[in-house]
Amino acid sequence: MVRELTVNRWNWSQKDNKWVYIESKDNGKLVYHYQINPPKQFTESISKIKILNDKLVACKDQEENSKIFREMMKISKRMQFMSKTC
């Protein structure tokens, strides 16, 4: 089942094989912005998560692991609501 695309945030469209930002105008009209490359926010967040994941794997301290994991979850949640910055 394909997920519905969300308004006012970046989405990956499997149908179009592109990133799409659906902007809702004041009059209710939807404007679609497409791009092939992932948004800058996405690539930066993925890089941060990769670094944190490497730290998580190497860390032996349970308290530090929890701290790293919480930071990864914060980044992941921000990725769910990437706004248009161009």
Side-chain angles (χ1 to χ4, degrees):
M1 183 158 97
V2 177
R3 178 180 66 80
E4 290 285 324
L5 300 179
T6 307
V7 177
N8 294 326
R9 69 164 226 179
W10 282 105
N11 299 267
W12 173 254
S13 171
Q14 290 179 322
K15 177 184 164 198
D16 299 314
N17 202 28
K18 295 179 185 176
W19 287 91
V20 59
Y21 186 90
I22 306 168
E23 184 178 5
S24 178
K25 297 292 187 178
D26 291 336
N27 61 3
K29 183 179 177 184
L30 298 178
V31 179
Y32 292 78
H33 304 273
Y34 291 94
Q35 65 185 48
I36 295 172
N37 296 324
K40 183 179 177 183
Q41 295 164 283
F42 182 81
T43 54
E44 288 173 351
S45 295
I46 290 294
S47 295
K48 288 177 186 176
I49 288 176
K50 166 79 171 95
I51 291 167
L52 288 171
N53 188 59
D54 291 344
K55 287 181 182 180
L56 188 67
V57 170
C59 185
K60 303 292 183 203
D61 179 48
Q62 186 174 3
E63 198 169 306
E64 185 65 21
N65 272 353
S66 293
K67 182 180 171 185
I68 294 168
F69 183 77
R70 284 192 301 273
E71 183 61 29
M72 289 172 71
M73 291 297 98
K74 285 181 192 175
I75 295 169
S76 177
K77 285 183 187 225
R78 283 194 303 259
M79 289 174 70
Q80 294 298 317
F81 300 99
M82 292 185 301
S83 62
K84 191 166 186 286
T85 57
C86 52

